[in-house]
Amino acid sequence: MDTPMHPVNQVGYLLEHLSGMSGRQSDQVLQEQLGIGLSQYKIMRALQWHPKVQQRKLAQSLGQTEASVSRQIKLLHERGMLVTEVNAAERRAHLTRITPKGLKVAEAARQVLVQYHSPMFGTLSDKEMKQLLETLKKLHNFVCQPAKAHSCDHPLGI
């Protein structure tokens, strides 16, 4: 396991694995505790920051298909967490916004995730946590530089 070529010694593998595992675990804990999935939480969180956004732009910003976002929005709509209305300026476009009930569930989800992941981050010292945050910000800024595909320079800024 100490060879340089072993996956646990490769940054790319560790980032992908950590992201994938964390996503699956987050999805599971949200399903168990609140009856929503991680994708639904991400949609509600995005709508908190950018109310009345078009579904197409929401899908782009989250890196999901329009069909997937549409299904999740429909489920959240049925549970009273989102409302969708026709855009008066562009009749074919639908705008979605989060309801007060959705805001409560989104906040509860945020708290569930913070509590669930806190033991993992508790293994880091304050200095390590600060360094991790700064390193992640640098990597984020590189990945999301302007005009790069799926970057944060799109109209939503998510």
Side-chain angles (χ1 to χ4, degrees):
M1 262 208 193
D2 287 336
T3 64
M5 296 308 292
H6 194 279
V8 298
N9 294 320
Q10 297 176 14
V11 172
Y13 168 81
L14 288 171
L15 283 173
E16 290 173 25
H17 186 71
L18 181 60
S19 174
M21 293 299 294
S22 177
R24 283 191 290 277
Q25 292 169 359
S26 295
D27 187 67
Q28 183 177 350
V29 74
L30 288 174
Q31 287 284 357
E32 290 171 357
Q33 294 192 28
L34 298 173
I36 65 167
L38 183 60
S39 291
Q40 292 171 331
Y41 168 64
K42 288 178 180 180
I43 288 168
M44 289 191 294
R45 183 183 62 199
L47 290 171
Q48 282 181 276
W49 298 333
H50 303 280
K52 295 187 176 185
V53 66
Q54 293 180 5
Q55 289 182 23
R56 179 178 39 82
K57 289 182 180 180
L58 184 60
Q60 286 176 327
S61 72
L62 296 174
Q64 298 180 24
T65 65
E66 287 184 57
S68 172
V69 168
S70 180
R71 278 191 305 274
Q72 299 305 324
I73 285 175
K74 182 179 178 185
L75 292 170
L76 291 166
H77 186 270
E78 289 170 357
R79 295 182 63 192
M81 294 183 220
L82 298 180
V83 293
T84 303
E85 53 202 36
V86 176
N87 184 351
E90 189 182 336
R91 305 289 302 159
R92 291 177 50 185
H94 292 86
L95 301 176
T96 303
R97 64 180 169 81
I98 193 166
T99 65
K101 179 180 179 181
L103 288 170
K104 288 179 186 175
V105 173
E107 177 56 24
R110 187 191 66 77
Q111 290 176 4
V112 163
L113 293 176
V114 166
Q115 183 178 4
Y116 180 79
H117 292 294
S118 65
M120 174 177 61
F121 292 114
T123 65
L124 302 175
S125 69
D126 289 342
K127 181 180 178 183
E128 289 171 322
M129 192 64 182
K130 184 177 178 181
Q131 288 172 330
L132 175 61
L133 184 59
E134 291 305 313
T135 301
L136 290 172
K137 284 180 184 179
K138 271 187 187 177
L139 294 173
H140 176 265
N141 288 339
F142 179 81
V143 170
C144 289
Q145 46 188 300
K148 207 167 188 179
H150 305 289
S151 70
C152 294
D153 69 333
H154 51 72
L156 282 181
I158 297 174

